[in-house]
Amino acid sequence: MAFMNQDKKAVIAAQLKAVMPAGWKYSLRVSDHSTLRLLIASAPVDLLNARPDDAEIRAGYRINTSGNYRGINLCHLDAEFSGDLLDTFEAICAAMNLGNHDNSDAQRDYFDVGHYINISIGAWDKPFKVAA
């Protein structure tokens, strides 16, 4: 059963701080005692428009019409980013999965994970900002 608490979060936060690029402002929180949520509030790079050219066609995305925020598809990071940003987000995901396990078997409808992770760029009430 997925479980996340403040003690686990503190250990992961220290690891995450080591891989987050300089100048990125973010927050990390525990949600529903099962999910670790990372909100990237600002960065010197425009993360909202950093998708590879054909990513929306390949992945069948519907773009957020406001353009102020979006969630990251963690299963297809290569459709979200490329180059150095892809490497950065892979390192972020690895840090957030510290101490996690996944013994799930979708064919048997059995799901067993240590905790879930969620990454979003901005939020509906706190738009992402490109820092100068």
Side-chain angles (χ1 to χ4, degrees):
M1 183 166 139
F3 178 73
M4 176 55 64
N5 62 16
Q6 294 297 324
D7 296 333
K8 286 182 170 183
K9 176 190 146 191
V11 172
I12 292 172
Q15 182 71 24
L16 188 61
K17 188 175 183 179
V19 299
M20 288 299 278
W24 288 31
K25 295 193 188 291
Y26 64 94
S27 64
L28 192 65
R29 68 183 180 100
V30 175
S31 176
D32 301 324
H33 301 288
S34 64
T35 306
L36 187 63
R37 296 190 185 275
L38 173 68
L39 170 71
I40 301 172
S42 70
V45 178
D46 186 4
L47 298 175
L48 291 174
N49 298 310
R51 284 194 173 122
D53 293 338
D54 63 342
E56 290 149 18
I57 296 166
R58 280 188 294 134
Y61 284 108
R62 289 190 323 166
I63 301 294
N64 167 14
T65 55
S66 70
N68 300 342
Y69 66 96
R70 72 180 172 99
I72 301 298
N73 183 344
L74 300 173
C75 295
H76 299 286
L77 281 174
D78 61 333
E80 298 281 349
F81 303 103
S82 62
D84 291 340
L85 280 177
L86 177 60
D87 296 339
T88 300
F89 275 92
E90 285 175 345
I92 289 170
C93 285
M96 290 181 72
N97 277 312
L98 182 71
N100 202 1
H101 68 272
D102 186 357
N103 300 323
S104 301
D105 183 0
Q107 288 185 341
R108 292 187 313 153
D109 197 25
Y110 175 75
F111 297 96
D112 176 24
V113 294
H115 62 271
Y116 298 103
I117 65 171
N118 179 282
I119 301 175
S120 60
I121 299 171
W124 68 273
D125 60 342
K126 189 173 184 177
F128 175 77
K129 294 180 182 163
V130 178

